[in-house]
Amino acid sequence: MVAAMAPEVTSTFDATAAKAAFGKKIKQDDLKIVEGIGPKIEGLFHNFGVKTWKELSELPVAKCQEVLDSGGKRYQIHDPASWPMQAKMAYEGAWKELVEWQDKHKAGKF
């Protein structure tokens, strides 16, 4: 008898913890929580089928750049190097660490 494989463990989104860290209500899988991603860039990622923090966290930076390039020249100025890492923190519920990282790297400026 073959045992069924366990379903993949998904993060359990804690809206209260996210709100406590950010000081505002956070929706699950809102890509705009990532520093540098706004509504239009989030739309570009959605066009590529990337709609969750987990999906973004697993995306190579080169693919993130490809998504940006698809939007034209105005999006090429953005640097997506940290986006998968930030998305991973969100997916894993590391809200305090994400806020601290973003405070140190406001608007992508190091």
Side-chain angles (χ1 to χ4, degrees):
M1 182 172 180
V2 177
M5 292 187 69
E8 181 178 328
V9 177
T10 57
S11 91
T12 52
F13 176 62
D14 185 343
T16 304
K19 183 176 182 178
F22 277 90
K24 65 181 181 181
K25 185 177 179 181
I26 303 297
K27 288 185 189 175
Q28 184 168 2
D29 292 320
D30 180 357
L31 300 184
K32 297 181 302 296
I33 198 70
V34 172
E35 179 71 32
I37 295 181
K40 293 188 188 246
I41 292 176
E42 181 181 50
L44 293 175
F45 277 97
H46 286 179
N47 291 342
F48 272 73
V50 178
K51 298 182 179 186
T52 68
W53 294 322
K54 184 176 190 311
E55 291 167 347
L56 180 56
S57 75
E58 295 171 346
L59 215 59
V61 173
K63 185 68 174 179
C64 291
Q65 189 63 56
E66 182 183 324
V67 171
L68 285 174
D69 292 348
S70 77
K73 287 188 176 187
R74 66 184 296 189
Y75 297 102
Q76 294 173 354
I77 62 167
H78 297 276
D79 181 2
S82 69
W83 296 355
M85 181 258 319
Q86 291 184 63
K88 185 173 194 245
M89 284 192 261
Y91 172 69
E92 292 178 347
W95 300 113
K96 185 179 177 197
E97 293 85 351
L98 179 57
V99 169
E100 287 173 359
W101 187 92
Q102 289 179 348
D103 285 347
K104 289 179 187 171
H105 303 89
K106 270 296 183 217
K109 310 272 189 289
F110 295 95

